[in-house]
Amino acid sequence: MALIAALFVFVAAGLSRISFNVDILKLLPIHLPQVEGLGIFLKTFSLPNELIVTITAPDSTSAGQVAEELTARLRARPDLVRRAVSEAPWEKNPGDMAELLAVLLLNQPPSEVRALVEKMSSENAPATVRETLEKLNDSFSPQEVALLSYDPYRLSAALSESGLMATASQSEFSSADGTFRVLYVEAAPVLTNYKKAIAWINEIKGIARGANLPPNIQIGFTGEPSFVADISSTMEWDMASSGFITLLVIALIFWSCYRRAKPLLDLQFMLALIFAISLAAAGLFLKQLTVIGVGFASIMIGLSVDYGYLIYQKSLRHEGTLRELQMACLQNIMWTAGTTAAAFFALNLSSLPGLSQLGNLVGIGVIVGGAVMLLVFAPIAMKWKKVTPREVWLEKKMRSPEFLRGAFWLTVLLVAGLGSALVFRGLPQVDASAQSLRPRHSEAYEAMDVLSARLTDETSLLSLVVTGSSEQEVWEKLTLTEKKIREAKAAGDVLNFRSPLPLWPAPENQRINLAELQPLAHELPRLRETVLAAGFTEPSFLLTAKVLETIANWKNPPIWPENEASQWIYRRIAKRTDGKFVALGIVTPLAGREDAVVRAVQSPGVWLVSWNQLGSELQRVIPGEFQRLILGLLGIVLLLLGFAFGGVRDLLVLLTTLGLVFISLLGAMSWLGMSWNFFNLAAILLLLGTGIDYAILLLLALKRNGGDIPAARQSLGLVIFLCAGSAAAGFGTISWANNQGLASLGQTCALGLAIDALVSVFLLPEIWKLSRWKRG
């Protein structure tokens, strides 16, 4: 009773700690520059509490009205929404830009600031203001008119030159034609986990539905909370549904063979127990489950049931004691579970964290499965040995020479037919893009794709990420990087770029410029009179006054802006947290010159990143990564089997069998139009660990039966097909997973295991017999 209570506490504690990590970069090698740079970018500039709502309308008037109505409705719910923004904070009140303008002025080269101060001197101020009036009269730009109407001394020139005004007002909130609008909604509650994110987003969607919008208005939801909600909910469903479907398929397979309800229920209970213990162990010892980890449930169940089939089949005709039954099964379970666990644990040799996690999850599950089946299920199975076993049709067929001969030639034809695809269609293609990392269906991804297409209309944008331990270090890196980008632009490799350098605190510049600008605060009355005398109104001078008053209150550089309008811009351009400083810019390279620009600009602490560049980097790195893993794993498996069989011939039989399996799998993928990607390349590793079990079982049976092939087939043929069916079901159920890569992993493994079972049962014994053939 104490053991049961302890087990219950262990399972409850482990399951309560399960959480999902939706960051797909956690699946990739952290040492790769693109992974490292994208990781810093997402961690620093993704806003976990900001939802992006997109509005697509047939005309700009409708889009604007819907944006206003939704914004008003969201702001009316302070319990849900801390802030809802549908236009640049400074559009209705340019005075809010005073602090940002002040920082931009301080960051300018001292020579430019001195020139500005000279223009505002008592001798030159009247001419400067008259020139502004002339620009107002000649300008056809509504934005320029709006700015200059409140900026007679043209302090905002620095802001305009930085390109921030055009980017923020046009690209961030509205498309050029006005038919696409964007709202930024900040959650009032802290969304600490995916369940809270899902509940909050559902509330926001309810508010949108309550607006009774016309059917020709399309509303989308994206941003960090939406990604978390979308991906986590599908991961949770994939894990639950794949595990349930695998148990159902196993039940159908068992029932079709044995037609025994009670043993089936016992076996299902064992699988549920194995699943609970293994998942609890994962919750206690692993930090989080990534998207690749959702395949763990069905895979582990499909593999663990193998040992249950073996024990139950042997128990039906076992005449000895429980210990004798356990010892009879121990060798098979030890070697099959050992090689499978070794294969999965060997994934820790990979630099891919996602594969390492999958390896640990399934490795734990296989060990737990073997132990539970031997120690718990075997005693339960012993009570069913008194019941006269019902012979299964496949057992009868295994005694039929005609069936075996026909199955042999059919398998030969199958292998030959699949292998012929490599001649006529070639090897399966390799898809190294980041597409396999995405879910099949995700509202957040779909909305983000629309947003990117409507607002940027650029597919080759590179994000410039610059890090350092101080403002000065980042400023120096930005200065050098901007020089490199300008050189690349002069060479024709870069179309345009937006640098965060104008906004980044330049401590030395700020110190010099403070001394130049602060005296102007004492001259505000003169500057005001000059503006009014030229014909400007009183409100026209407010922005200038606020800028100079703000500068007068600052003392010690480095200086960062703090008001809401400034923070709105800085939230996606510059961050400082825990002594770490990160700046973000955008570079648009010429099509086809992305790699060259990355090589020219990237340096320690400086990255140019994009999802397309990530795909290119994976294409260069992943094949070599898997080649090393496959060779290492093959060496481990051969070493283990060398101890098991103690002979070279049996190892050659195993290698020949594996060769036929992989040739057939490649052919099947080629005929079916399947491709290799980041996920299903792992199928090669998994088949080395799981598929080889069938060959091991047959070889062990051949040794026990003195080379009697019919006896070996009769004793284990049914078990192998049951195991293959269940394992294929385990992998097959994740073929419907929402993540494209995970689904391809399931499809590839299920196909490989089915081929493996046929080759092991019908071809391996003949290959083994040939290996023993001697002339004369």
Side-chain angles (χ1 to χ4, degrees):
M1 196 65 185
L3 182 61
I4 295 174
L7 180 62
F8 178 81
V9 171
F10 174 80
V11 170
L15 295 180
S16 67
R17 289 171 56 88
I18 290 290
S19 62
F20 296 113
N21 191 324
V22 301
D23 183 0
I24 58 178
L25 295 178
K26 295 296 183 182
L27 306 174
L28 304 176
I30 59 175
H31 68 276
L32 297 182
Q34 286 296 312
V35 176
E36 186 179 6
L38 277 170
I40 294 172
F41 166 68
L42 293 175
K43 181 180 179 181
T44 306
F45 296 102
S46 62
L47 305 174
N49 270 38
E50 184 180 271
L51 179 69
I52 301 174
V53 182
T54 63
I55 301 168
T56 305
D59 57 80
S60 58
T61 303
S62 299
Q65 290 173 347
V66 171
E68 289 181 8
E69 182 177 356
L70 278 182
T71 302
R73 286 176 172 269
L74 291 168
R75 288 174 178 170
R77 292 294 305 274
D79 58 316
L80 293 175
V81 177
R82 179 178 176 271
R83 177 172 62 177
V85 182
S86 59
E87 59 186 0
W90 53 88
E91 284 191 355
K92 288 187 176 180
N93 186 8
D96 289 345
M97 294 298 292
E99 186 185 49
L100 184 65
L101 278 174
V103 170
L104 279 165
L105 284 173
L106 289 188
N107 290 334
Q108 296 297 303
S111 59
E112 294 185 15
V113 172
R114 279 193 290 270
L116 176 63
V117 171
E118 183 65 23
K119 288 180 180 180
M120 297 176 71
S121 66
S122 57
E123 297 83 8
N124 298 323
T128 302
V129 175
R130 284 196 301 271
E131 187 178 340
T132 302
L133 276 174
E134 292 173 6
K135 284 181 174 289
L136 274 171
N137 293 330
D138 297 337
S139 178
F140 292 98
S141 169
Q143 184 176 316
E144 185 178 33
V145 170
L147 267 177
L148 293 181
S149 297
Y150 292 92
D151 185 21
Y153 292 103
R154 301 196 298 282
L155 303 182
S156 60
L159 181 62
S160 300
E161 290 169 6
S162 71
L164 296 171
M165 288 297 290
T167 301
S169 62
Q170 181 178 346
S171 297
E172 207 173 0
F173 294 94
S174 176
S175 61
D177 61 6
T179 61
F180 183 78
R181 295 290 299 268
V182 180
L183 311 182
Y184 296 87
V185 183
E186 185 177 345
V190 179
L191 308 179
T192 53
N193 58 55
Y194 74 96
K195 292 185 178 179
K196 288 186 177 181
I198 292 171
W200 181 76
I201 289 176
N202 286 338
E203 293 273 9
I204 300 299
K205 289 180 178 178
I207 293 173
R209 286 193 298 269
N212 295 318
L213 302 176
N216 59 356
I217 302 294
Q218 297 178 0
I219 305 294
F221 300 89
T222 188
E224 190 71 9
S226 189
F227 284 116
V228 170
D230 265 15
I231 299 176
S232 293
S233 60
T234 55
M235 286 170 68
E236 188 175 52
W237 167 252
D238 287 342
M239 176 172 282
S241 61
S242 64
F244 174 78
I245 294 172
T246 302
L247 286 173
L248 180 62
V249 172
I250 288 172
L252 292 174
I253 292 173
F254 188 94
W255 180 259
S256 66
C257 290
Y258 297 109
R259 303 296 175 97
R260 305 276 300 279
K262 290 185 177 180
L264 172 58
L265 292 176
D266 290 336
L267 182 61
Q268 295 282 76
F269 178 76
M270 291 300 105
L271 294 176
L273 180 63
I274 292 167
F275 171 72
I277 295 174
S278 302
L279 196 59
L284 288 173
F285 302 118
L286 300 177
K287 291 182 179 179
Q288 290 175 315
L289 295 185
T290 60
V291 65
I292 201 171
V294 304
F296 151 69
S298 53
I299 294 172
M300 182 268 299
I301 291 172
L303 295 177
S304 297
V305 75
D306 294 1
Y307 317 129
Y309 285 143
L310 177 67
I311 289 171
Y312 181 73
Q313 179 69 14
K314 282 188 173 293
S315 70
L316 292 177
R317 293 177 173 82
H318 181 67
E319 298 297 334
T321 64
L322 168 61
R323 182 171 178 79
E324 289 171 340
L325 173 64
Q326 290 171 324
M327 293 305 296
C329 298
L330 178 61
Q331 184 185 31
N332 286 327
I333 291 177
M334 182 177 67
W335 286 112
T336 56
T339 53
T340 300
F344 280 98
F345 283 132
L347 296 182
N348 282 289
L349 300 174
S350 169
S351 62
L352 304 168
L355 284 184
S356 299
Q357 185 189 86
L358 178 64
N360 289 328
L361 287 168
V362 181
I364 291 170
V366 166
I367 292 173
V368 171
V372 168
M373 290 300 183
L374 271 174
L375 301 176
V376 183
F377 183 64
I380 295 173
M382 281 292 289
K383 67 182 180 181
W384 302 114
K385 69 176 185 176
K386 298 177 182 178
V387 180
T388 303
R390 174 182 176 274
E391 190 171 39
V392 181
W393 69 271
L394 189 56
E395 286 184 295
K396 295 179 182 178
K397 292 293 185 181
M398 287 296 175
R399 291 199 299 269
S400 168
E402 293 79 9
F403 171 80
L404 294 173
R405 191 179 305 113
F408 169 77
W409 286 111
L410 283 174
T411 305
V412 169
L413 290 174
L414 175 67
V415 171
L418 294 177
S420 67
L422 303 182
V423 177
F424 296 107
R425 296 176 62 92
L427 290 168
Q429 298 297 311
V430 176
D431 177 12
S433 71
Q435 188 67 24
S436 65
L437 301 173
R438 290 183 53 161
R440 294 178 181 178
H441 308 290
S442 169
E443 183 181 22
Y445 270 101
E446 292 165 6
M448 182 58 73
D449 288 342
V450 173
L451 186 148
S452 299
R454 295 299 301 270
L455 295 190
T456 64
D457 197 27
E458 294 277 3
T459 57
S460 59
L461 287 179
L462 296 173
S463 294
L464 172 66
V465 181
V466 181
T467 65
S469 58
S470 67
E471 289 94 341
Q472 182 66 27
E473 182 183 350
V474 172
W475 183 82
E476 290 172 357
K477 288 181 179 178
L478 282 172
T479 303
L480 180 60
T481 299
E482 186 169 305
K483 180 182 177 182
K484 292 180 180 178
I485 295 173
R486 290 188 185 279
E487 291 172 353
K489 187 175 182 179
D493 291 337
V494 171
L495 295 176
N496 52 67
F497 69 96
R498 190 187 76 199
S499 171
L501 187 59
L503 282 173
W504 192 264
E508 186 59 23
N509 286 2
Q510 287 185 349
R511 184 185 63 78
I512 297 171
N513 291 335
L514 271 178
E516 292 281 351
L517 291 168
Q518 283 182 334
L520 288 177
H522 301 297
E523 300 186 41
L524 283 175
R526 174 183 64 79
L527 295 171
R528 173 179 169 276
E529 289 301 324
T530 303
V531 168
L532 296 178
F536 282 93
T537 62
E538 184 74 36
S540 300
F541 186 66
L542 290 178
L543 180 62
T544 302
K546 285 186 177 181
V547 169
L548 295 178
E549 288 169 354
T550 299
I551 291 175
N553 291 326
W554 283 334
K555 294 181 179 179
N556 299 317
I559 294 167
W560 291 79
E562 296 178 354
N563 73 8
E564 186 175 356
S566 300
Q567 290 300 314
W568 179 261
I569 290 181
Y570 270 75
R571 83 197 201 287
R572 296 194 189 277
I573 293 178
K575 286 288 178 72
R576 48 174 180 161
T577 53
D578 301 327
K580 296 179 181 178
F581 299 83
V582 186
L584 178 66
I586 292 176
V587 177
T588 306
L590 188 71
R593 299 299 297 164
E594 294 87 353
D595 290 346
V597 173
V598 170
R599 287 194 300 270
V601 173
Q602 207 156 261
S603 62
V606 179
W607 295 268
L608 275 177
V609 297
S610 71
W611 291 107
N612 288 337
Q613 280 296 303
L614 173 63
S616 299
E617 192 167 60
L618 291 177
Q619 188 174 15
R620 294 190 297 269
V621 173
I622 295 302
E625 169 87 15
F626 275 91
Q627 184 179 12
R628 290 190 296 272
L629 273 176
I630 290 167
L631 292 175
L633 180 56
L634 188 60
I636 292 172
V637 170
L638 292 178
L639 184 63
L640 289 172
L641 296 179
F643 284 110
F645 297 113
V648 175
R649 285 189 296 183
D650 287 339
L651 289 180
L652 290 176
V653 170
L654 279 172
L655 288 174
T656 304
T657 304
L658 280 175
L660 292 175
V661 170
F662 281 113
I663 289 172
S664 301
L665 175 60
L666 290 172
M669 292 177 66
S670 185
W671 282 123
L672 295 172
M674 298 169 63
S675 60
W676 292 111
N677 58 51
F678 162 70
F679 277 82
N680 69 355
L681 273 171
I684 299 175
L685 306 173
L686 303 183
L687 287 173
L688 274 175
T690 59
I692 203 171
D693 287 355
Y694 311 145
I696 293 173
L697 288 173
L698 254 300
L699 285 172
L700 290 173
L702 286 168
K703 290 185 72 172
R704 282 195 306 272
N705 290 281
D708 188 339
I709 292 176
R713 279 195 176 120
Q714 288 172 29
S715 65
L716 283 174
L718 174 62
V719 171
I720 288 175
F721 280 114
L722 287 173
C723 294
S726 300
F731 283 104
T733 54
I734 62 172
S735 298
W736 292 276
N738 193 41
N739 180 271
Q740 297 180 61
L742 191 61
S744 69
L745 171 66
Q747 295 161 4
T748 307
C749 286
L751 188 61
L753 287 170
I755 294 171
D756 202 342
L758 291 173
V759 171
S760 295
V761 173
F762 297 119
L763 297 189
L764 182 145
E766 305 303 326
I767 297 171
W768 183 87
K769 184 165 64 175
L770 283 174
S771 73
R772 265 67 180 172
W773 181 72
K774 296 179 182 179
R775 283 186 295 179

